[in-house]
Amino acid sequence: MEFYLDTANLNAIDSALDLYPIAGVTTNPTILSKETMSDVFAHLKAIQKLLGPDRSLHVQTLSDTAEGIIAEAAVLRQHVGNTVYVKIPTTSEGLKAMKQLHKQGVRITATAITSKLQAYLAINAGADYVAPYVNRMENLDIDAMDVLSSIASYISNANSSTRIIAASFKNLAQINGAIDAGVHAVTIDPSFYTLACSSAHLQKTVDDFKADFEKAFGKDKTFLDL
Ligand code: E4P
């Protein structure tokens, strides 16, 4: 399982990289629009620098045509580097672009997926990752977990190397459900990592352990003091 950060906030990325086993960062136009920046390429390069060579950055194109998407992919690779994953919305034109970019060796994340067939087509078009949008599917009364498990089965049956990076989460239950459904990666807003690891109940558990140790070995004692 790979865990990604779904943010372009440099401070949040820096802190989360220090704390959690993070495989990379995903962005989209909305996520980028939330940050203050004068030069979007400089900002993306700053994210890439924080990530280092062993984690990946995914950046979404905006063009509606295959030609435009292919041209944007070239610009992104020129500015951010050839290791960038070009996120392409899985429209008909997006699929056309994926087929051509795959032949050129460009790394592709097929995004904005809300149906099984969209994912199957993206897999066959050569996407390295497919990104189903869990919360957006649930908003449309689509059984998101069924979609995820069908995509996972399709990949497994086809012996494909495409990985599922589930996205668009609005609560921990959706994240846990996606992992249970067999996805290979999840991209999550940093606040959910904090939420999962810092409940009042968890703090009480840690405090109770410390209190018991203290009774036996003295106030504020840790193994460093013994
Ligand atoms: C990440 O790759 C997606 O773009 C993101 O998770 C979409 O989230 P949203 O549905 O909250 O816009």
Side-chain angles (χ1 to χ4, degrees), residues 51-157:
L51 292 175
D54 299 327
R55 301 186 187 93
S56 64
L57 174 61
H58 301 237
V59 185
Q60 192 166 322
T61 57
L62 291 132
S63 300
D64 293 327
T65 63
E67 292 67 30
I69 293 166
I70 291 165
E72 277 191 82
V75 169
L76 282 172
R77 281 159 59 88
Q78 183 195 327
H79 283 276
V80 188
N82 288 348
T83 58
V84 70
Y85 282 80
V86 180
K87 276 179 78 185
I88 303 174
T90 312
T91 59
S92 304
E93 288 289 315
L95 287 160
K96 180 179 173 185
M98 286 177 212
K99 281 197 295 175
Q100 295 186 31
L101 290 170
H102 175 65
K103 282 190 203 138
Q104 297 170 19
V106 175
R107 294 175 168 186
I108 299 163
T109 299
T111 197
I113 289 176
T114 54
S115 78
K116 296 178 187 179
L117 185 57
Q118 246 185 318
Y120 303 157
L121 293 169
I123 291 162
N124 284 26
D128 298 283
Y129 283 90
V130 287
Y133 278 15
V134 172
N135 190 64
R136 290 189 190 229
M137 281 192 270
E138 294 192 349
N139 285 347
L140 295 168
D141 200 21
I142 295 168
D143 184 344
M145 300 310 150
D146 175 57
V147 172
L148 297 182
S149 57
S150 291
I151 301 170
S153 299
Y154 184 90
I155 287 171
S156 170
N157 293 339

